[in-house]
Amino acid sequence: MNMENLRLNFTGKCDRCGCSTRTFTMSFFNTQHICKDCEARERKHPLYESAVKAERDEIAKGNRNFEGIGLPRDLLCRG
């Protein structure tokens, strides 16, 4: 998905925690648009490097629609 499509699909709220945000990034674990706080939590997760590697491997194969390795349960937000 290109950056323009990402911006068009962004709602102004973090898909993971629901907070309002003007900045976002895409999760390496799944296709959620996440805020900087959720990104920081994600980067500290023990499976983060595996998720990044899986994404890079898929892109190298030409798959630009990789949906990630799946969100670990301990990164689910408790609302």
Side-chain angles (χ1 to χ4, degrees):
M1 184 177 283
N2 67 36
M3 284 306 292
E4 186 59 30
N5 286 340
L6 284 176
R7 282 192 283 284
L8 290 173
N9 293 323
F10 181 59
T11 65
K13 291 189 177 195
C14 177
D15 289 340
R16 190 165 300 159
C17 71
C19 75
S20 293
T21 183
R22 292 178 56 161
T23 60
F24 71 95
T25 190
M26 193 85 155
S27 171
F28 274 101
F29 287 107
N30 59 20
T31 59
Q32 290 179 315
H33 298 97
I34 58 174
C35 67
K36 294 299 180 181
D37 289 340
C38 287
E39 178 190 23
R41 285 185 62 220
E42 190 169 281
R43 285 179 177 269
K44 293 176 186 174
H45 196 277
L47 293 176
Y48 180 77
E49 290 302 323
S50 296
V52 170
K53 182 182 181 322
E55 170 101 0
R56 287 186 180 141
D57 290 347
E58 288 297 314
I59 289 171
K61 291 187 236 176
N63 181 4
R64 300 212 179 272
N65 293 311
F66 183 57
E67 294 187 5
I69 64 171
L71 185 66
R73 292 185 63 78
D74 56 340
L75 285 179
L76 291 172
C77 284
R78 295 161 186 92

